[in-house]
Amino acid sequence: MTGTPLMAFYALVGAYLVLVCGIGLWNYRRASTEEGFLAAGRSLGPVLGGATLMANQVSAGATIGIVGFHYFSGFSYAWSWPLVWIGWVVAALFIAPRIRRIAGLTLPDYLEARFESKAARAIAAVVVLAVYAMMLSAQYQAGGLLFGAIGGMSYATAVLLVAGITTLYTVLGGMYSNAYVGLFKAVLLVGSYALAVPYLLSHIGGVHALGEALTALDPRLSANWFGWRQLLAISLAMGLGLGAAPYEISAIYAMQSKRTARLAIGWSFLFQACVGIGVLVFGLSMRVAMPQLPTPDLATPVLGMSVLPPWIGLLVLLAAVVTFTRTGGAILLTVASAVSHDLYGALLKPDASDRSKVLVSRLSVVAFSAIPVALAFRQFALVNFVVIWAAKLMVSFLFIPVIVGLNWRRATRAGAVASMLGGTAACLLWSRYGSPYWFGLDPAEAGVLVSAALMVGVSMVTRPASDGTLETFFGSRADTESA
C-alpha cells in the first residue's frame, strides 16, 4: 500500500489513537479506585458487557490467525466456531450466576474464597502471568505483521507501536477503557465485515463458485483438512477455556448483576457469530484470489490492501488494529490485577491502601507490556498456533477448578491445588513427549482429564470447605434439599 491509501490508513490509526486516549482520559478519575480500575465500578450493562466479553475473546487469533487458518486449511476449521460457543453456554448456565455471588475482582479471588486457600490464589496469579505473556505476544506479533505488510514499517517498530497503543489506554482508564473500546471494536468489526462479505462473495461469483474454486486448488480445502479429533481438541481448549478465562471472569465481575452477565453472554454470542462468518469468508476468498501468499497470516493485510475496494479495505484493516490492541488491553489489565490485587494486595501487603494498589496496577501494565514485546520479536509460530497453545495451557489449569468448584459442594482445597498443578503438568508432558499423542489424546484433553481425576480423587479423601463458604456459593443444605 502506497500513496493516498497508505496516508488514509495511518490517518485512521491516528484517529483511533486519539479516540482511545480520549476514552482513557475521560475515565481516568473514575478509575482511581481499585474497583473502578479493575471492574469499572461494576457498572457494565448487557450490551456493553457483551461487547466487552466479545472484545476479550475475538483477538488477533481471529482476525489475523483464524483468517490465516481458513486460508491454509479451508472450510473444515469453521466447525470449531459452534463447538467453541458451547463454552458460552457453560459460562451462562454454570459459571456466571454462581461466581457473581462474591464481590470479587479477579479469578484468583474466586479460588481463594471457594477453596479457602491463599496458595490457590498465588498459583493462579503466577500462571496467569506466564500464559498471558504468550497470548499478548501473539497480539503484538499480529500487529507487527499487519503494519509491516501495509506500509513497509519495520516489524520491530510496528510491534512497539501496537504495544504503545495498548498500554496507553489501559493504564489510563483500566476496565472502563476496555469496555468502551470494546464497544467500538464490536461496532467496527460487525460493520466492516457486513460491507466486505457481500462484496467478496459477489466478486468471486457466489458460494457455489467459491467451493468449486477451492476444490480445484485442493479437494481438502472444501472437505476435511482437519480430522474431527483435531477439531474437537482445538475447540475443547478454546471453548471450555472461555468460561474459566481470567479476563472473562474479570468482565463478569464488572457487570451489574447475575442477570446482566447472562444477557451479556447472549450479546457476545451474537457479535461473535457475525465475526465468525466474516473470518471464514475472508480466509476462503483470499485462498482463491491469491493462493500463493508467503504466509497465511498475511491473508487479512493483503485482503484489505489489494482485494477489497479501498474504503472497505481500510475499515477492515483498522478493525484488525483495534482487535489486537483491544484484546491486548484486556490481557494487560488481567495481568495488572494479578500483580496488584492478588500478589501485592492480598498476599504481600494486605493493609495496602486503595490508592497504592491502583498505582501498582498502572505500573504493572507498563512493566508487563515489555515481556510480550520481547517474545513477539522472536516470532515463534503462526499467530493462531500461539493463541491455541496458550489456551490449551489455561484450560488444563483452570477449567476444572472453576466449573467443578462452582457446581460440586465436595470439591476441596487440596483437590483444587492438585487439579491445577496436575492438569498443567499433564498438558506440558503431552506436548513435549506425546508425539504422536499418547492414547490419542491432545494435550488439552489430557490436561482436563487429569485435572478432573485429581479434583475428584483428592477431594474425596480431604476435608471440604467450611459451611459458611459452601453457603455462599450453594446456599444452605436445607435450601438445596427443599429445591
Side-chain angles (χ1 to χ4, degrees):
M1 183 182 288
T2 57
T4 302
L6 181 61
M7 292 176 61
F9 171 72
Y10 281 118
L12 286 174
V13 173
Y16 170 60
L17 178 59
V18 171
L19 174 66
V20 296
C21 287
I23 290 172
L25 290 170
W26 177 47
N27 289 291
Y28 184 82
R29 295 178 69 90
R30 292 205 292 171
S32 60
T33 65
E34 186 180 38
E35 189 172 90
F37 190 81
L38 298 181
R42 307 191 196 281
S43 63
L44 303 188
V47 177
L48 189 55
T52 301
L53 292 172
M54 181 281 295
N56 291 349
Q57 191 63 30
V58 176
S59 66
T63 57
I64 299 293
I66 297 182
V67 172
F69 250 44
H70 283 305
Y71 178 95
F72 167 74
S73 62
F75 177 81
S76 65
Y77 191 71
W79 290 107
S80 68
W81 283 86
L83 291 171
V84 164
W85 290 331
I86 293 172
W88 286 122
V89 177
V90 172
L93 296 179
F94 302 109
I95 295 176
R98 290 190 185 275
I99 209 163
R100 285 287 283 131
R101 292 184 178 183
I102 63 168
L105 296 173
T106 66
L107 182 58
D109 268 340
Y110 152 73
L111 292 171
E112 180 175 347
R114 170 61 181 86
F115 299 111
E116 301 172 340
S117 172
K118 290 187 179 297
R121 177 194 287 273
I123 292 168
V126 171
V127 171
V128 165
L129 291 175
V131 175
Y132 273 23
M134 287 189 288
M135 292 189 69
L136 189 53
S137 73
Q139 314 308 310
Y140 292 169
Q141 180 175 320
L145 290 169
L146 186 139
F147 278 100
I150 290 172
M153 182 183 293
S154 73
Y155 177 80
T157 302
V159 167
L160 291 172
L161 174 62
V162 172
I165 295 173
T166 303
T167 304
L168 185 59
Y169 82 80
T170 305
V171 79
L172 289 173
M175 180 62 82
Y176 285 111
S177 288
N178 269 270
Y180 289 108
V181 175
L183 182 60
F184 175 70
K185 171 178 171 176
V187 172
L188 183 61
L189 275 172
V190 173
S192 62
Y193 284 23
L195 293 170
V197 168
Y199 173 85
L200 287 171
L201 292 177
S202 173
H203 184 69
I204 289 173
V207 174
H208 183 70
L210 177 61
E212 289 184 336
L214 290 169
T215 302
L217 287 170
D218 187 329
R220 295 176 297 170
L221 294 173
S222 56
N224 296 313
W225 187 288
F226 291 107
W228 70 269
R229 288 289 290 114
Q230 290 174 293
L231 289 174
L232 186 62
I234 293 171
S235 303
L236 174 73
M238 304 296 289
L240 298 185
L242 278 175
Y247 52 28
E248 301 294 26
I249 297 297
S250 295
I252 288 171
Y253 280 139
M255 295 178 198
Q256 296 165 350
S257 65
K258 292 183 287 185
R259 181 175 181 275
T260 300
R262 281 179 160 170
L263 291 173
I265 288 170
W267 278 101
S268 176
F269 178 86
L270 179 62
F271 289 139
Q272 290 190 58
C274 296
V275 174
I277 294 170
V279 164
L280 172 64
V281 174
F282 284 7
L284 300 183
S285 300
M286 280 303 298
R287 186 59 183 267
V288 171
M290 295 187 175
Q292 301 298 325
L293 288 178
T295 173
D297 279 344
L298 289 176
T300 294
V302 175
L303 172 74
M305 291 187 296
S306 304
V307 177
L308 292 170
W311 63 280
I312 299 179
L314 288 173
L315 289 178
V316 168
L317 294 175
L318 179 63
V321 174
V322 174
T323 294
F324 43 72
T325 54
R326 169 52 186 78
T327 299
I331 295 171
L332 275 179
L333 188 63
T334 304
V335 168
S337 69
V339 173
S340 66
H341 182 74
D342 296 309
L343 297 177
Y344 174 74
L347 300 177
L348 299 178
K349 196 173 182 182
D351 59 344
S353 68
D354 207 52
R355 182 177 180 180
S356 67
K357 285 187 280 190
V358 173
L359 176 60
V360 172
S361 292
R362 289 193 159 112
L363 292 175
S364 300
V365 168
V366 176
F368 185 80
S369 185
I371 300 171
V373 166
L375 293 176
F377 284 164
R378 298 285 300 274
Q379 281 189 268
F380 288 107
L382 292 179
V383 168
N384 206 42
F385 281 127
V386 177
V387 172
I388 289 172
W389 167 238
K392 288 181 179 183
L393 277 177
M394 194 59 77
V395 75
S396 300
F397 176 70
L398 282 177
F399 178 72
I400 293 300
V402 171
I403 190 70
V404 173
L406 287 170
N407 294 279
W408 186 39
R409 296 178 67 101
R410 193 62 184 77
T412 69
R413 174 192 312 167
V417 173
S419 174
M420 290 189 290
L421 296 178
T424 306
C427 183
L428 291 171
L429 284 171
W430 248 258
S431 300
R432 177 66 179 86
Y433 298 108
S435 183
Y437 295 136
W438 301 324
F439 311 112
L441 293 176
D442 180 85
E445 295 170 322
V448 170
L449 288 175
V450 170
S451 179
L454 288 171
M455 171 64 88
V456 174
V458 175
S459 293
M460 292 302 294
V461 297
T462 53
R463 189 175 64 182
S466 66
D467 290 341
T469 293
L470 294 176
E471 285 183 13
T472 298
F473 290 95
F474 301 97
S476 66
R477 287 190 178 276
D479 293 337
T480 303
E481 291 168 1
S482 64

